[in-house]
């Protein structure tokens, strides 16, 4: 066992004395030491209850003959960090999560790990760490929040952000906004739509690194606690078999995850994160591979923000396994991939059943014949850009309009709320990429304001930053190269005509090429917005969005 180098032999008597100072017995120290990495904190609703998940995991480990050692992990809530300086820290925190877990796993010589995330960047950060450290591991999330309910309607965080725009537009009162605020987030769990956290928690199942139900069993159900106990038991089986994360998260496993991603209509952030996780596993996933998979994968689900359904509805319809069963009927999955469950993907989906075809469409009758995410290229995005195609209104799939250029999210948000945006405009927000932000801020506030003001079928938004999984509309992010790297987005001028053609995968600026090149030759990088502390280091080390915004 890996932990023997820390606890076995006479020369390790000092080490054992320290462990015994915490109450560990000789019997416990003879067993495998299993790191239980718990991201519980009191600043994220998706994490407030993870102490209960961790206790259940530890029970499962003890039942199976291991000794659990709980260690902490940081976490940032994208919702509360939105539209202020806190959002600069969200994506960079993914790297801190991975680095922290690597540090704890190696320093404590864990034999295996159970990783307990739930939200935003914590999920991919933990998956990156699992691939990097490469000791037996199981991931068990805290589960999704139930949708809020008020006045006979379902509510979620997405509608809260859009309601701000509705108040500014005069179509909702502040009292109505307050009543929504009181009911939109009814309790613990990751926000209830197919936003980034739930996207990644669902994809954990198709990667094979988590158990069936990981993505959809609601946080408040007893079934979630039972699943956590099973995760604790399973990590001991995985350890005994010597099955490592890189044995599970193979090229074929990432292709399964991307295929499931397209069928579910996941967040555009999943592209950013799957690319980064694959990088840690020594596998190349690029935008061309993603586009190829999207082109042949039917979109089977329309969950909020793309439609009226929520994760609890997906759970009741059969869960991720049922979606994968539909995909398997079309031969789109690698069914012989191993999982931490001890069964192959094929064996798991073979027992699944679609219980509601209104939630999970049959593969013969999809919402669209192509996936929920599209990659765009063109003169404005030579290295690619990403859009959640399933959440774009039909009227905006092809659009041309004049650019309205803003140098920051805050500047654009103010213009939107003050009624300065007109129909047909294409809002361009730049210097918000991985280097320029720094940290590639999410743009949920401006996109939600556009939707709340009733402009989502008339106005597009393009940025080298990124979007929340809760974003809907013609919102195109991850534009690469980013402005801070001298990409064409850096030289767009007010009034330039921007052409968007999502079906054809195009994003272009309609100016002569010689004019564009002349502008690029004159361009000089502005001073960094932040050049000190962690964010300063991050800006100097981070790569482009099209490569996952990983650190050099």
């Amino acid at each position: 066992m890996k932990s023997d180098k820390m606890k076995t032999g006479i020369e390790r008597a000092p080490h054992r004395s320290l462990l015994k100072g915490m109450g560990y017995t000789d019997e416990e120290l003879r067993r495998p030491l299993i790191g239980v990495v718990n991201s519980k904190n009191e600043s994220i609703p998706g994490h407030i209850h993870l102490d209960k998940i961790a206790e259940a995991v530890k029970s499962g480990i003890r039942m199976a003959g291991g000794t659990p050692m709980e260690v902490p992990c940081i976490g940032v809530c994208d919702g509360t960090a939105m539209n202020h300086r806190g959002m600069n820290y969200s994506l960079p925190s993914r790297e801190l999560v991975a680095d922290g877990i690597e540090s704890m796993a190696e320093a404590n010589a864990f034999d295996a790990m159970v990783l307990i995330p739930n939200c935003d960047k914590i999920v991919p950060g933990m998956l990156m760490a699992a691939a990097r450290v490469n000791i037996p591991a199981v991931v068990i999330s805290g589960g999704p929040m139930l949708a809020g309910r008020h006045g006979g309607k379902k509510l979620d965080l997405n509608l809260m952000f859009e309601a701000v725009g509705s108040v500014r537009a005069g179509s909702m009162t502040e009292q109505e906004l307050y009543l929504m605020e009181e009911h939109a987030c009814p309790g613990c769990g990751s926000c209830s739509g197919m936003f980034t956290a739930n996207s990644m928690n669902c994809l954990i199942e198709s990667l094979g690194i988590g158990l069936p139900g990981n993505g959809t069993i609601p946080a408040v159900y007893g079934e979630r606690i039972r699943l956590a106990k099973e995760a604790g038991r399973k990590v001991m089986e995985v350890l005994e078999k010597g099955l490592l994360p890189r044995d599970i998260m193979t090229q074929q496993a990432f292709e399964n995850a991307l295929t499931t991603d397209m069928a579910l209509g996941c967040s555009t952030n999943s592209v950013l994160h799957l690319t980064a996780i694959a990088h840690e596993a020594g596998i190349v996933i690029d935008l061309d591979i993603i586009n190829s998979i999207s082109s042949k994968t039917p979109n089977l689900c329309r969950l909020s923000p793309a439609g009226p359904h929520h994760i609890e509805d997906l759970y009741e319809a059969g869960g991720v396994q049922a979606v994968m069963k539909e995909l398997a009927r079309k031969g789109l999955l690698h069914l012989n991939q191993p999982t931490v469950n001890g069964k192959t993907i094929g064996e798991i989906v073979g027992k699944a059943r679609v219980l509601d075809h209104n939630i999970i469409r049959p593969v013969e009758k999809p919402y669209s014949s192509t996936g929920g995410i599209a990659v765009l290229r063109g003169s404005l995005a030579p290295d690619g850009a990403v859009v959640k195609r399933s959440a774009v209104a039909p009227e905006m799939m092809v659009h041309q309009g004049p650019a309205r250029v803003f140098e920051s999210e805050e500047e654009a948000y103010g213009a939107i709320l003050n009624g300065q945006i007109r129909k047909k405009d294409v809002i361009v927000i730049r210097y918000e990429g991985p280097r320029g932000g720094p940290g590639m801020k999410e743009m949920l506030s401006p996109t939600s304001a556009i939707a709340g003001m009733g402009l989502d079928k008339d106005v597009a938004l393009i940025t080298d930053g990124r979007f929340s999984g809760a974003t809907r509309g013609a919102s195109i992010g991850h534009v690469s190269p980013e402005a801070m790297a001298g990409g064409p987005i850096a030289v767009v001028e007010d009034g330039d005509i921007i052409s968007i053609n999502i079906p054809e995968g195009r994003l272009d600026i309609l100016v002569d090429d010689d004019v564009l090149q002349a502008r690029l030759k004159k361009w000089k990088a502005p001073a960094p917005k932040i050049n000190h502390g962690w964010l300063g280091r991050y800006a100097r080390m981070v790569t482009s969005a099209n490569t996952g915004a990983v650190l050099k």
Side-chain angles (χ1 to χ4, degrees):
M1 291 187 295
K2 184 178 179 180
S3 62
D4 284 343
K5 64 184 180 184
M6 181 183 72
K7 67 183 186 183
T8 301
I10 59 171
E11 69 278 9
R12 296 296 183 252
H15 303 63
R16 291 193 296 273
S17 71
L18 289 168
L19 294 167
K20 288 179 178 180
M22 292 181 279
Y24 290 103
T25 67
D26 286 330
E27 173 57 28
E28 286 175 304
L29 296 180
R30 280 191 287 269
R31 297 178 178 185
L33 302 184
I34 312 300
V36 178
V37 185
N38 185 4
S39 56
K40 192 265 183 188
N41 66 50
E42 296 183 356
S43 66
I44 312 177
H47 291 235
I48 191 73
H49 65 303
L50 295 188
D51 51 346
K52 296 179 177 64
I53 300 294
E55 287 304 318
V57 167
K58 290 189 282 187
S59 294
I61 291 169
R62 293 188 184 104
M63 283 190 282
T67 297
M69 288 185 163
E70 185 176 340
V71 295
C73 172
I74 68 162
V76 171
C77 176
D78 278 23
T80 56
M82 199 70 66
N83 198 33
H84 64 86
R85 179 167 173 150
M87 181 49 68
N88 291 96
Y89 287 87
S90 173
L91 184 60
S93 75
R94 185 187 72 179
E95 312 308 313
L96 296 179
V97 167
D99 290 351
I101 294 170
E102 176 192 357
S103 300
M104 296 303 285
E106 297 293 354
N108 292 294
F110 291 145
D111 296 301
M113 294 187 293
V114 178
L115 303 163
I116 309 174
N118 211 31
C119 291
D120 299 307
K121 309 309 160 292
I122 302 94
V123 182
M126 286 194 173
L127 290 169
M128 290 166 67
R132 185 189 302 175
V133 177
N134 204 35
I135 60 174
V138 174
V139 183
I140 169 69
S141 75
M145 183 186 293
L146 295 176
R149 287 168 173 80
H150 178 65
K153 295 181 180 179
K154 284 187 176 182
L155 301 175
D156 57 27
L157 184 66
N158 173 52
L159 294 177
M160 282 305 309
F161 275 94
E162 291 186 7
V164 175
S166 297
V167 171
R168 287 300 186 103
S171 58
M172 178 182 288
T173 67
E174 289 191 34
Q175 178 60 24
E176 289 171 322
L177 178 68
Y178 179 75
L179 290 174
M180 285 182 66
E181 174 188 326
E182 288 278 285
H183 296 94
C185 298
C188 65
S190 47
C191 296
S192 57
M194 188 54 81
F195 311 146
T196 304
N198 289 326
S199 294
M200 295 307 301
N201 284 329
C202 286
L203 298 182
I204 282 170
E205 295 187 41
S206 51
L207 277 171
I209 197 73
L211 299 176
N214 179 77
T216 60
I217 298 171
V220 295
Y221 285 14
E223 187 180 355
R224 174 62 56 177
I225 299 297
R226 299 199 301 272
L227 189 73
K229 290 178 181 177
E230 186 65 9
R233 286 198 330 104
K234 286 294 181 183
V235 77
M236 298 304 295
E237 291 182 15
V238 172
L239 174 61
E240 185 177 353
K241 293 175 182 175
L243 189 62
L244 303 178
R246 292 189 196 177
D247 300 328
I248 295 168
M249 293 193 290
T250 63
Q251 179 79 38
Q252 291 73 29
F254 280 99
E255 289 174 6
N256 282 346
L258 285 165
T259 301
T260 307
D261 186 339
M262 300 305 165
L264 286 169
C266 290
S267 163
T268 53
N269 285 319
S270 62
V271 171
L272 199 68
H273 299 322
L274 287 173
T275 305
I277 298 160
H279 173 78
E280 293 288 354
I283 293 166
V284 176
I285 296 293
D286 59 28
L287 295 185
D288 291 328
I289 292 172
I290 292 166
N291 222 20
S292 174
I293 290 173
S294 180
S295 69
K296 61 188 179 186
T297 305
N299 179 222
L300 305 181
C301 300
R302 289 284 167 94
L303 305 171
S304 178
H309 308 303
H310 292 81
I311 300 298
E312 64 196 65
D313 302 310
L314 179 62
Y315 165 75
E316 292 171 2
V320 176
Q321 312 98 280
V323 174
M324 294 176 73
K325 181 153 192 165
E326 287 296 311
L327 295 170
R329 291 204 297 112
K330 197 177 178 182
L332 293 173
L333 296 177
H334 303 284
L335 298 178
N336 59 354
Q337 283 298 293
T339 74
V340 294
N341 190 44
K343 299 176 181 177
T344 65
I345 289 289
E347 289 171 326
I348 291 170
V349 303
K351 295 181 179 179
R353 239 175 8 114
V354 178
L355 303 177
D356 189 341
H357 277 299
N358 292 315
I359 310 297
I360 304 171
R361 287 215 175 165
V363 73
E364 298 86 1
K365 296 181 180 179
Y367 284 101
S368 68
S369 60
T370 53
I373 293 174
V375 175
L376 312 182
R377 294 184 189 273
S379 58
L380 190 54
D383 293 340
V386 180
V387 62
K388 188 168 184 173
R389 173 168 41 197
S390 59
V392 178
E395 299 92 323
M396 294 297 292
M397 296 296 281
V398 178
H399 179 79
Q400 285 190 11
R404 293 292 309 281
V405 181
F406 300 95
E407 310 299 326
S408 70
E409 177 200 10
E410 292 82 1
E411 186 183 333
Y413 187 51
I416 295 166
L417 291 182
N418 290 327
Q420 297 172 18
I421 302 301
R422 303 287 180 261
K423 290 184 177 182
K424 300 227 17 124
D425 282 351
V426 177
I427 300 168
V428 177
I429 304 177
R430 62 191 179 197
Y431 296 107
E432 292 290 11
R435 285 170 56 186
M440 205 180 181
K441 287 153 60 178
E442 285 188 350
M443 304 289 168
L444 182 56
S445 291
T447 59
S448 296
I450 290 168
M453 298 173 81
L455 294 171
D456 57 300
K457 295 180 181 179
D458 300 289
V459 171
L461 192 153
I462 296 171
T463 181
D464 53 5
R466 60 193 177 90
F467 296 110
S468 165
T471 290
R472 64 184 175 96
S475 302
I476 300 167
H478 305 201
V479 171
S480 300
E482 63 172 293
M484 199 65 174
I489 192 172
V491 296
V492 177
E493 297 180 359
D494 275 334
D496 286 343
I497 301 301
I498 305 297
S499 174
I500 301 164
N501 193 319
I502 295 172
E504 294 185 5
R506 297 293 306 180
L507 179 62
D508 294 288
I509 175 172
L510 301 186
V511 301
D512 291 340
D513 186 61
D514 56 347
V515 173
L516 186 62
Q517 294 306 316
R519 291 182 188 176
L520 287 169
K521 283 182 182 178
K522 291 182 184 177
W523 174 83
K524 292 183 180 180
K529 294 177 185 176
I530 299 172
N531 58 15
H532 62 279
W534 159 232
L535 288 183
R537 296 198 305 275
Y538 178 86
R540 292 189 291 272
M541 298 167 66
V542 71
T543 64
S544 171
N546 67 299
T547 57
V550 297
L551 299 186
K552 298 173 188 174

